[in-house]
Amino acid sequence: MAVSTSPETPIPVGEVSRLIGGWIERLGAVWVEGQITQLSRRPGAGVVFLTLRDPSYDISVSVTCYRQVFDKVADVVSEGARVVVHAKPEWYAPRGQLSLRAAEIKPVGVGELLARLEQLKKALAAEGLFAADRKKPLPFLPQLIGLVCGRASAAERDVLENARHRWPAVRFAVRNVPVQGVHAVPQVVAAVQELDALPEVDVIIVARGGGSVEDLLPFSDEQLIRAVSAAVTPVVSAIGHEPDSPLLDLVADLRASTPTDAAKKVVPDVGEELARVEQLRERARRAVEGFVQREERGLAAALHRPSIQRPQRMVEEREEQVTALLERARRTLGHLLDRADSELTHTLARVVALSPKATLERGYAVLQKPDGTAVRSPREVGPDDSLRARVAEGAFTVRVDGAPGAATAAE
C-alpha cells in the first residue's frame, strides 16, 4: 500500500527499508530462469554466491544458497550455464540490497532449450517475422559491408579473406562483439542497429563459427530477432555450420551455411563477372553481326528484283495498258455516238412525219379563233367572224361568209 509522505512529514530511511522488506516478503518463493555469470564457492564456506543474469534485458540479481543445495548440481553447472532456481526474494535492510535465497537449482537441459526455442519460433512465425515477402534483396555489388563477429575470430577471417579474394575493392565496417555468453545479445543487437543506421552500409553480415546449442543461443534470442526484423539494411545470417539453424537464419534476408558461404553470396567474384561480361559482349557481337548479315541479304534480294533493276518497266507496262484502254474507250464511245445518231435520225423522221407542219405542206390549213383555239366544227363560228388561217408558208386572216348552217350545207 502507498505511504503518505510530504516534505514536512518524511519517513526515515530505516522505515523505507523496512516497508520494502515487507513488500518483498509477501512475494513468496518463485521459480526464476537465468544464466550464471559469476560463481563463488569459497573453501570451507557453507554458502555459495552466484549472479543470475537475463541476457535478453541485461538485468542481473544476486543469488545465495547453502552448499548442500549447490553440491547437487555442481558437476553440471558452471559459469555461463542456464538454470532454473526456486528461490525466495530477500531484502537486506542494512545495505538496501535485494537477493534471492535459492532452495533448489535445476540446470536447463538441451531438450528443454530446444522446446522453448520451438515455442518462440512458432510465436514469431505467427507474427509474420519469417514471411518471405519481408525479405529484402541483396545489392549486386555492395560498396560497404557491415560485419558483426567475434574479435580475431575465424569467422571474421573467413569473411574478410574470401570477400577480398573475390572482389579486392570491397570495404568492410567491422564491429567486434561477444558472440556467446551473457553480454552477447545486447552487444550484437547494438552493433546491428549501429550499422543499420549508417546509410553507406549496403548489407550486414552477422557471423559466428560453430558451437554447441548453448553457445548459439544468443542468435535465437527474441530481442535480436526483432532487431534484425526491424532493420532497413539487408541482413545475412552466417552462424555456425550447415546443420546449425538458429532463429536468426529464419528472420534474416539471406541465410548462409558458413561465414565463407556468406562472403560468396554477398560479394560477386570479379573473375566470374569479367567472364560473364565477355560472354555477353560475344553474344552481343554475334547478335549484331547476324542482324547486319540478315539485312544485307534482304537488301541484296531487294536490289535483284526487276522492279528495282528496271523501275521504268512498270511505267511502260502501265502505259501500254492505258493506251489500249484509251483506244477501247474511244471505239466504244464512237459506237455509242453512231448508234445515238442513227436513232436520232429515225426519231426525227418519225417526228417530221407526224408533225402538223407536214400536213400543212400538203395544202391543208388550220383555222384558229382569235383566242388561238382551232376551229373543228362549222357550228363554232358565226357569220362575219374573223379567223386566222395557218398554212405551210405562213398565216392570213379570213372572214366567215354566210351562216354556219349554209356553210355546212355547201360542204
Side-chain angles (χ1 to χ4, degrees):
M1 296 178 62
V3 179
S4 178
T5 62
S6 68
E8 292 73 21
T9 59
I11 60 176
V13 174
E15 180 65 15
V16 172
S17 181
R18 185 187 66 79
L19 291 173
I20 294 175
W23 293 331
I24 293 176
E25 182 71 22
R26 289 197 295 271
L27 179 62
V30 292
W31 285 98
V32 182
E33 180 185 356
Q35 189 174 23
I36 298 176
T37 58
Q38 292 181 356
L39 178 60
S40 175
R41 290 186 295 173
R42 297 172 183 174
V47 179
V48 177
F49 299 91
L50 50 91
T51 301
L52 202 61
R53 184 184 185 87
D54 187 338
S56 299
Y57 297 97
D58 197 15
I59 297 176
S60 302
V61 64
S62 299
V63 180
T64 60
C65 65
Y66 293 112
R67 176 173 291 275
Q68 56 267 32
V69 173
F70 185 81
D71 287 344
K72 296 179 181 179
V73 294
D75 296 336
V76 293
V77 169
S78 60
E79 290 187 0
R82 296 179 72 95
V83 295
V84 175
V85 177
H86 188 237
K88 186 177 185 302
E90 292 182 345
W91 178 256
Y92 186 62
R95 287 204 296 263
Q97 182 177 357
L98 173 69
S99 64
L100 299 177
R101 172 72 67 174
E104 184 179 358
I105 300 176
K106 297 176 62 176
V108 178
V110 174
E112 187 174 356
L113 288 175
L114 294 177
R116 294 181 183 178
L117 288 180
E118 187 63 25
Q119 292 177 355
L120 179 60
K121 175 181 175 181
K122 292 180 179 179
L124 297 178
E127 294 184 28
L129 269 62
F130 305 152
D133 55 1
R134 294 175 58 95
K135 308 294 184 184
K136 297 177 285 294
L138 270 63
F140 167 71
L141 180 58
Q143 300 299 311
L144 181 62
I145 301 174
L147 177 61
V148 180
C149 59
R151 184 179 301 276
S153 61
E156 178 182 5
R157 183 180 64 254
D158 290 345
V159 173
L160 296 180
E161 290 182 357
N162 283 279
R164 287 169 178 159
H165 177 74
R166 293 172 65 83
W167 198 278
V170 69
R171 296 182 299 118
F172 281 89
V174 181
R175 298 294 183 270
N176 294 122
V177 296
V179 291
Q180 70 182 60
V182 295
H183 301 290
V185 173
Q187 295 198 29
V188 172
V189 170
V192 170
Q193 293 175 342
E194 178 187 354
L195 293 172
D196 184 47
L198 298 177
E200 60 271 20
V201 174
D202 298 318
V203 63
I204 301 172
I205 300 176
V206 181
R208 186 202 189 282
S212 64
V213 175
E214 293 85 349
D215 293 338
L216 300 182
L217 278 178
F219 300 98
S220 294
D221 188 88
E222 182 177 359
Q223 184 181 358
L224 176 59
I225 300 306
R226 294 191 181 278
V228 171
S229 176
V232 177
T233 308
V235 178
V236 177
S237 173
I239 305 302
H241 303 298
E242 181 66 36
D244 299 322
S245 56
L247 297 186
L248 180 62
D249 289 350
L250 302 178
V251 75
D253 299 293
L254 179 68
R255 187 246 180 189
S257 57
T258 61
T260 300
D261 185 48
K264 293 180 179 180
K265 289 182 176 180
V266 172
V267 181
D269 185 86
V270 63
E272 294 177 358
E273 297 305 319
L274 288 175
R276 186 176 292 109
V277 169
E278 186 61 30
Q279 292 176 359
L280 293 175
R281 291 178 60 185
E282 182 64 20
R283 286 177 57 186
R285 185 186 63 80
R286 290 198 301 268
V288 172
E289 288 180 352
F291 175 77
V292 173
Q293 291 173 0
R294 287 195 302 272
E295 295 301 315
E296 287 180 345
R297 288 194 297 269
L299 182 59
L303 291 175
H304 283 81
R305 292 179 181 177
S307 59
I308 299 298
Q309 290 185 338
R310 189 185 172 195
Q312 68 274 16
R313 179 179 177 182
M314 295 178 62
V315 177
E316 294 172 353
E317 292 177 354
R318 294 293 183 267
E319 182 182 9
E320 294 175 359
Q321 294 178 4
V322 170
T323 302
L325 292 173
L326 181 60
E327 183 62 28
R328 181 179 175 184
R330 286 174 178 173
R331 290 196 304 270
T332 302
L333 182 59
H335 292 326
L336 292 175
L337 291 176
D338 291 343
R339 187 181 300 113
D341 183 67
S342 176
E343 291 178 355
L344 182 59
T345 301
H346 291 304
T347 302
L348 182 59
R350 288 195 300 270
V351 170
V352 170
L354 298 175
S355 173
K357 186 178 180 182
T359 304
L360 296 178
E361 288 180 351
R362 290 200 298 272
Y364 291 93
V366 177
L367 296 178
Q368 295 176 316
K369 297 178 182 180
D371 59 1
T373 59
V375 178
R376 292 179 176 83
S377 173
R379 290 186 296 272
E380 295 180 1
V381 299
D384 298 328
D385 285 346
S386 178
L387 301 177
R388 185 176 179 81
R390 180 178 292 278
V391 294
E393 299 297 332
F396 55 89
T397 303
V398 297
R399 187 176 298 275
V400 179
D401 185 15
T408 302
E411 186 178 21

